[in-house]
Amino acid sequence: MILPGDRSESIAAAVDCIRGGGLLGLPTETVYGLAANADDDQAVAQIFLAKGRPADHPLIVHVADASAVAHYAAAMPEFAKLLIQAFWPGPLTLILRRHAGVANAATGGNPTIGLRCPSHPVAHALLKALMKDSVWGLAAPSANQFGRVSPTTAAHVQGEFGDDLLILDGGSCSVGIESTIIDCTRGAPVLLRPGAITPEQLQAECGLRVLSKDELDASSAPAPKASGTLDSHYAPRARVRLMIAGDLQRAVDVLGAEKQGLASNEGLRVAIYSRFWLEPSTIPVLYRRMPDDATATAQQLFAVLRELDAQGVNEIWIETPPADPAWAGVRDRLQRAAG
Ligand code: TXA
Ligand code: MG
């Protein structure tokens, strides 16, 4: 059931659902989450079950504000405090050392916890209301079946989990790709997942260089399993192929010849998502133009993948985004979609 997220009755119904140990479709500025009380291990177990997600993949816990951090986190380095000041509420998740005994199931038993304070007004209103009822946080992975494309509208969530799930409608997500994840437990900030907030922006605020995963000392403890970091993830049913503009143009030319019966391999149905403009009349394929800037592309990316996939094409051909740092989040999701 989808309820309008901007009504106080909807927030009240969502509070009842969470306090009763239920699951909820939660709008955030990044993607929709499948949420449960982070301190209710049984409720959290239902998330793993519904998603088909392995129980050792830790979930992000969403909090109303920085005051809830102390409930979950045992220690916080100075640079993490600066990042919270600068970027919360917003699309930034911090991995911190966890107090023993809190959010056990949500963290998959890891000694650390991922915390994020979302800026979406509906998520914020719900988290505030829950905190008054002593619910400190919502564990919420993206509200999609394991390995599939993340949802950016309430209808996407309903498509994944059916009409029995209570979903708060918060409109289309404004960021569109999952939060940037920074590990704060290794002395220096380490980027675990790129997102809308870039390492350059983080460095400017905390004064420390953000390390990549590859730069981690090989002798340090391995990071826990993390779905968003698996090589094949965010995948539609259709095969995704990433190509630079020149290769994509050549593939399109070949396809055009095939459609006119000039080459074999007909029957292949293709959708194209590219920044370079494809004359719509030259070739009978589904075509969506990729915006010129990374922010606009991130915002629509998952909805476009779902929309093209729903047309029943065999392949989705996508132009490789620019190497510019601003595009890192989009590039990462596309590389994983191409698996
Ligand atoms: O934008 C987002 O972050 C969205 C919305 C709903 O907030 N959530 C999201 O959750 O993307 P999920 O479960 O799809 O991604 C959680 C990822 C894990 O796959 C892992 O990469 C990381 O967060 N993570 C969570 N807890 C961690 C921990 N204790 N240590 C290391 N990584 C952790
Ligand atoms: Mg996910």
Side-chain angles (χ1 to χ4, degrees), residues 237-238 267 269-271 286 306-315:
R237 269 166 208 86
R269 281 166 306 143
V270 172
L286 274 169
R306 280 171 176 272
E307 179 193 315
L308 296 177
D309 207 27
Q311 303 294 318
V313 295
N314 310 102
E315 296 193 358

Side-chain angles (χ1 to χ4, degrees), residues 108-287:
N110 282 292
T112 56
I113 184 165
L115 292 176
R116 166 164 124 75
C117 172
S119 64
H120 193 292
V122 174
H124 189 73
L126 176 61
L127 287 163
K128 277 278 189 214
L130 283 167
M131 206 149 82
K132 285 199 192 117
D133 269 327
S134 302
V135 174
W136 288 95
L138 289 174
S142 50
N144 53 277
Q145 297 293 332
F146 183 62
R148 292 289 163 194
V149 178
S150 300
T152 54
T153 68
H156 291 163
V157 181
Q158 196 175 44
E160 295 280 334
F161 297 105
D163 198 37
D164 286 346
L165 180 71
L166 181 62
I167 303 165
L168 292 179
D169 191 347
S172 264
C173 300
S174 59
V175 175
I177 57 173
E178 297 83 350
S179 57
T180 305
I181 302 181
I182 296 291
D183 189 345
C184 301
T185 68
R186 291 160 194 271
V190 180
L191 180 71
L192 297 186
R193 179 172 74 184
I197 298 175
T198 64
E200 290 71 16
Q201 291 173 292
L202 295 162
Q203 277 161 214
E205 293 295 337
C206 75
L208 292 174
R209 198 167 73 81
V210 175
L211 305 179
S212 71
K213 267 185 291 183
D214 305 339
E215 287 173 283
L216 273 184
D217 179 1
S219 68
S220 68
K225 292 211 180 59
S227 316
T229 61
L230 296 179
D231 282 345
S232 170
H233 209 66
Y234 310 109
R237 269 166 208 86
R239 179 170 173 226
V240 173
R241 291 176 60 190
L242 264 184
M243 292 179 254
I244 57 168
D247 290 347
L248 182 55
Q249 182 63 66
R250 272 185 288 282
V252 166
D253 291 343
V254 170
L255 195 70
E258 284 169 353
K259 294 285 177 197
Q260 291 154 31
L262 302 174
S264 58
N265 199 15
E266 80 278 3
L268 182 69
R269 281 166 306 143
V270 172
I272 292 168
Y273 185 44
S274 67
R275 279 177 305 126
F276 79 77
W277 177 246
L278 199 71
E279 282 296 325
S281 59
T282 54
I283 165 175
V285 292
L286 274 169
Y287 172 66

Side-chain angles (χ1 to χ4, degrees), residues 23-86:
L23 301 188
L24 175 80
L26 173 76
T28 85
E29 70 277 23
T30 57
V31 301
Y32 276 70
L34 184 64
N37 179 353
D39 288 297
D40 180 341
D41 285 356
Q42 277 182 356
V44 169
Q46 296 305 310
I47 298 179
F48 287 99
L49 208 66
K51 279 194 59 129
R53 172 162 163 149
D56 60 349
H57 289 205
L59 308 180
I60 292 170
V61 174
H62 300 71
V63 293
D65 53 45
S67 75
V69 171
H71 174 77
Y72 292 107
M76 187 150 56
E78 199 53 39
F79 71 82
K81 288 180 195 156
L82 293 172
L83 294 179
I84 285 177
Q85 269 169 31

